[in-house]
C-alpha cells in the first residue's frame, strides 16, 4: 500500500512540474493532464502548483508513516 501511495504522490508531483514546464516553455503538450481539463482554463498555473504541493504532501505522508510502533 505504501508503494501505491508513493506512486500517486510521484505522479502528482511530475504532473504538476510538467504542467509548469508546459505553461512556461511549451514542452510536454500532450503529456500534461491539467491542460485537457476545461474547467481549469485560466487557472492552469495555480492547478499545477496545487498538484506539486499535493504530491509533496502525499510523499511526506507515505515516507513518514512507516507503520512501525516506536518505543
Amino acid at each position: 500500500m505504501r508503494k501505491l501511495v508513493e506512486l500517486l504522490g510521484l505522479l502528482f508531483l511530475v504532473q504538476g512540474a510538467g504542467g509548469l514546464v508546459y505553461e512556461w516553455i511549451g514542452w510536454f503538450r500532450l503529456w500534461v493532464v491539467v491542460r485537457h481539463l476545461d474547467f481549469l482554463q485560466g487557472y492552469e498555473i495555480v492547478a499545477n502548483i496545487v498538484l506539486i504541493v499535493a504530491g509533496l504532501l502525499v510523499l511526506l505522508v507515505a515516507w513518514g508513516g512507516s507503520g512501525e510502533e516506536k518505543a
Side-chain angles (χ1 to χ4, degrees):
M1 184 69 178
R2 180 179 170 191
K3 293 292 181 186
L4 181 65
V5 173
E6 286 178 353
L7 181 66
L8 184 67
L10 183 64
L11 180 66
F12 284 174
L13 186 65
V14 168
Q15 282 293 314
L20 286 180
V21 168
Y22 171 73
E23 291 297 325
W24 292 333
I25 300 174
W27 293 351
F28 305 121
R29 183 174 59 98
L30 298 174
W31 187 65
V32 180
V33 173
V34 172
R35 178 181 168 272
H36 299 290
L37 300 175
D38 290 334
F39 64 92
L40 291 175
Q41 296 303 313
Y43 300 102
E44 292 94 349
I45 292 177
V46 174
N48 288 318
I49 291 172
V50 167
L51 273 175
I52 290 172
V53 171
L56 289 174
L57 288 175
V58 169
L59 285 173
L60 286 174
V61 167
W63 291 334
S66 63
E68 298 176 0
E69 293 292 326
K70 296 181 180 176

